[in-house]
């Protein structure tokens, strides 16, 4: 199942000056975690959220829509987050998209997740400020890589 949403009951925060609309893909099978991610992302007026509930659908959506950022749960049914990461990193069209890994299992280290190909990693339950900081950094990274060289 996939959904697209950029709505929030209290309304999104105003877009930052000069901010362009960007697409973020969330791949999360847990309904409560998916709802929380949707609520947090919806606070940004410059983000449209695309969602998938399993790794295979996430890979297909990433290839079809080329989002600015992917939020990837690690423990997905069928194709795991790590396996989905491998498919995305081996595709030249999706290889440079920043991917933030999400899991209730703590990683061995931040360096090990970067070596695996993740932009970053958040352990659930994560602090909202940590989520926002990492999403901001990943979207900035994505915007910089998409800018034409001078």
């Amino acid at each position: 199942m996939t959904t697209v949403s950029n709505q929030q009951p209290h309304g999104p925060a105003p877009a930052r000056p000069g901010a362009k609309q960007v697409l973020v893909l969330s791949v999360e099978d847990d309904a409560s975690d998916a709802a929380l991610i949707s609520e947090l992302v919806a606070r940004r007026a410059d983000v449209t959220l695309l969602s998938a509930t399993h790794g295979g659908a996430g890979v297909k959506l990433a290839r079809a829509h080329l989002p600015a950022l992917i939020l990837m749960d690690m423990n997905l049914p069928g194709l795991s987050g790590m396996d989905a990461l491998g498919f995305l990193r081996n595709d030249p069209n999706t290889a440079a998209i920043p991917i933030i890994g999400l899991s209730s299992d703590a990683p061995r280290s931040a360096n090990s997740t970067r070596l695996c190909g993740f932009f970053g990693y958040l352990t659930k339950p994560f602090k909202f400020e940590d989520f926002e900081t990492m999403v901001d950094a990943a979207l900035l990274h994505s915007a910089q890589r998409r800018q034409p060289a001078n």
Side-chain angles (χ1 to χ4, degrees):
M1 178 172 119
T2 59
T3 59
V4 177
S5 172
N6 67 352
Q7 301 296 313
Q8 176 180 330
H10 305 339
R16 294 181 174 107
K20 294 181 180 178
Q21 192 69 24
V22 295
L23 183 66
V24 171
L25 171 61
S26 172
V27 186
E28 175 60 67
D29 66 317
D30 182 89
S32 61
D33 288 340
L36 176 60
I37 290 168
S38 178
E39 183 178 324
L40 291 174
V41 170
R43 294 178 181 194
R44 300 178 60 121
D46 59 335
V47 173
T48 299
L49 183 65
L50 182 64
S51 300
T53 57
H54 59 88
V59 170
K60 287 179 184 177
L61 287 172
R63 288 176 172 163
H65 297 279
L66 302 176
L69 169 62
I70 300 172
L71 304 168
M72 179 78 67
D73 182 29
M74 300 306 300
N75 300 311
L76 296 165
L79 188 67
S80 73
M82 187 63 78
D83 291 339
L85 172 78
F87 283 112
L88 294 169
R89 290 295 174 250
N90 287 321
D91 182 333
N93 295 317
T94 58
I97 297 171
I99 301 174
I100 298 173
L102 306 171
S103 179
S104 56
D105 301 325
R108 291 180 208 148
S109 73
N111 286 338
S112 68
T113 59
R114 287 190 185 253
L115 291 174
C116 291
F118 287 98
F119 177 84
Y121 189 94
L122 291 170
T123 303
K124 300 181 215 174
F126 45 80
K127 295 178 182 173
F128 300 149
E129 298 81 18
D130 294 344
F131 179 86
E132 290 175 348
T133 298
M134 189 165 299
V135 167
D136 284 344
L139 290 175
L140 178 61
H141 175 80
S142 183
Q144 289 172 339
R145 76 173 172 80
R146 291 179 184 213
Q147 288 179 349
N150 291 334

